[in-house]
Every structure is written in structure tokens, then in C-alpha cells.
Amino acid sequence: MQFGLCYFPTDYGMQPDALAAAAEERGFESLLFCEHTHIPVSRKSPYPGGGELPRMYIHTYDPFVACTAAAAATRRLKIGTGVCLVVERDPITTAKQVASVDRLSGGRFLFGVGAGWNREEMANHGTDPRVRMAILHERVAAMRRIWRDEQPEYHGQYVDFDPIWSYPKPIQAPPPVLVGGMGPTVEDRILAVGDGWLAQSVTRDNIDAFAERADKLQRRAADAGRDRVPISLFGASAADGMAERYAAAGIDRCLFLLPDADDTEVTHKLDRLAQRLG
């Protein structure tokens, strides 16, 4: 089991470079940054967690800038996105950002991707929320070609470009794509364009059902001639006994969500986590 962290990198919280250095010093394996390009004032899309939208959603740094700062402050810590909202990003530009951070970090980038939940946010980027999963599929598939091919091209319904040159190429071939989500079709996207699953909302109450779902995914992967699919868990619980239960359910990496707070509070949380998990 690997233990990592997830964090909304805000302009008022602990800064990404300081957090990354503190996480590496305490032995954590990874640090993933969350993303929202903006939040529409209308607030028509309700917050999935219920109640008022937390302040951190409105104040996030760009995740690739945060990852670059974190990579520069560390030597071993894996850094990445948890998740990058690729349905709100140009795939050619995003492919270059991923490759750039992967090279600058020495091959330590984890590319968590997702479609998001805020429909007005997507629409402001010109994305029709009704087809966001198909858009995610094509954009990730196109990026994988850009990382792999010397003269990549892609011709789909939502992504279409003739042969291009795009450098740098990433050190990892490719950077691991962790497909986020818990919807009924997420396994299809994992097997089609992903290298791993970035799951969430796995608790004591539903962990047995999740274990069955994870086992089914692994059987599908084996039937398709693929290796075992690594599973990471966003927002894991650090309660006593949960790490063992997560491992038994097929989860390989637990990512603990840190508070959007100042250095003192975040460092205190890191110390408590490191002590409990050590």
C-alpha cells in the first residue's frame, strides 16, 4: 500500500512547494492537486458534498503550475493532478503541459483525469455537459498519441487534427493516466484510455461493494489481455483498520485529503497522518 496526499492548492493555504517538501520529508509517496479553472457565480450546479460550496474551490492555483513548484522542491515525491478537468482544456496544449512537467520532474507525474460535476463551468469552456464523457475519452486518447508518436494525428468527433510535431515527449511512456469517477461507466473509460482508477467515496459502509466492483474490473482487464489495473483512492480515511480494509478491497494507493489551511495546520495534519500510518 502506498500513502499519498490530495490537496486544493489555494492562494491562501500552504503553498505547493512547501507542502511537497514537507510531504517528502515525512515519507509520503505522492501529492495530487485538485483543479477548477473557475466557479460560475450562478451556482446552478449543486455542490456534490451538499451545503455551501467550500471556499477552496474558488481559489485554486492552476494544477500544472502547482505541480511544477512541487517538483522543483522535491526529488522522490510523485506529483500529479487529482483530477485535471480535461473536458475544459485543449488536448494539444494539455499534452505539452503533462510532458513538460513529467520531464522537469524526472518522470514523477501522475495524470489524474476527470469530467467534473459543474455543468456551468464546462459550458463556459464550450463543452456540452451531455457529451462530456465522450469528450474526455477522445481528448485523453489524442494526448496519448501526442506523447507516443513523432507525428501524431487524431480524427474523432470532438478532437480532430492532422499530423503535428509536439515536444517535449514525457520521460514516462506514457505518464500514468488515472481515470477518476465512480459512475456506472467509469470502468469502460479506464479500460479504453486509462492506466489506473482514481476512485473516491469508499467508506466502511460500502467497501465490500467496492471490493466486488474492483474485482470485476480486474477480471475485465485480464480478459482484455491487460495487466492488473492499479487503484488509487481519493479522500481515503485514516481511521484505525481502514488501510488494511482498503488493501483487502484491491486499493493500492490511499490519498488523504489535506485541509485548505495555513502551514501550521497543514503540517500538524501531516504529522498526525505520518504517525498513524507509520
Side-chain angles (χ1 to χ4, degrees):
M1 174 70 73
Q2 299 286 349
F3 297 120
L5 306 162
C6 41
Y7 182 65
F8 280 78
T10 67
D11 54 4
Y12 59 81
M14 190 172 186
Q15 296 300 281
D17 53 346
L19 172 57
E24 183 171 86
E25 181 182 355
R26 288 159 177 78
F28 288 96
E29 177 259 354
S30 53
L31 171 61
L32 271 58
F33 294 113
C34 307
E35 173 180 41
H36 279 275
T37 62
H38 69 288
I39 295 294
V41 175
S42 72
R43 302 299 306 114
K44 292 180 181 178
S45 291
Y47 173 49
E52 293 296 321
L53 185 74
R55 179 189 181 199
M56 61 191 179
Y57 281 81
I58 304 172
H59 286 264
T60 56
Y61 285 118
D62 178 274
F64 292 102
V65 175
C67 282
T68 302
T74 55
R75 292 294 176 266
R76 302 178 306 278
L77 187 76
K78 293 180 181 178
I79 43 87
T81 54
V83 294
C84 174
L85 299 175
V86 295
V87 302
E88 300 177 3
R89 289 179 167 270
D90 176 82
I92 297 175
T93 303
T94 306
K96 181 179 284 289
Q97 290 173 308
V98 170
S100 297
V101 176
D102 192 61
R103 290 198 71 87
L104 291 172
S105 68
R108 291 185 281 139
F109 189 73
L110 300 172
F111 191 34
V113 302
W117 55 268
N118 193 309
R119 290 173 174 261
E120 292 73 47
E121 181 182 353
M122 300 172 211
N124 286 345
H125 287 279
T127 293
D128 182 346
R130 296 171 297 181
V131 294
R132 64 187 185 277
M133 298 305 178
I135 292 173
L136 182 149
H137 180 119
E138 288 197 7
R139 289 186 180 176
V140 174
M143 285 188 278
R144 295 180 78 100
R145 291 193 187 180
I146 293 171
W147 299 327
R148 181 193 68 198
D149 298 345
E150 293 301 313
Q151 295 185 24
E153 62 181 297
Y154 191 90
H155 303 286
Q157 183 175 357
Y158 304 103
V159 180
D160 188 13
F161 56 87
D162 289 330
I164 62 173
W165 287 311
S166 179
Y167 296 90
K169 301 298 185 185
I171 290 177
Q172 300 182 92
V177 176
L178 312 182
V179 178
M182 296 295 286
T185 60
V186 67
E187 291 91 346
D188 297 336
R189 291 188 295 281
I190 295 166
L191 295 173
V193 296
D195 300 295
W197 185 6
L198 184 53
Q200 61 187 30
S201 303
V202 180
T203 67
R204 289 185 186 275
D205 295 334
N206 64 10
I207 193 168
D208 291 335
F210 178 83
E212 294 178 6
R213 188 172 181 182
D215 184 62
K216 183 178 179 181
L217 171 64
Q218 304 301 354
R219 292 199 304 270
R220 288 184 62 186
D223 290 343
R226 289 188 46 164
D227 293 335
R228 183 182 177 280
V229 176
I231 301 176
S232 302
L233 177 61
F234 180 99
S237 169
D240 288 342
M242 286 304 295
E244 292 79 9
R245 294 197 66 188
Y246 286 142
I251 293 169
D252 305 280
R253 174 188 290 119
C254 287
L255 298 164
F256 303 99
L257 181 62
L258 295 171
D260 54 316
D262 61 22
D263 293 30
T264 300
E265 183 175 342
V266 174
T267 302
H268 183 53
K269 175 73 171 183
L270 284 175
D271 288 337
R272 292 202 311 260
L273 281 171
Q275 183 178 15
R276 177 169 294 234
L277 299 171

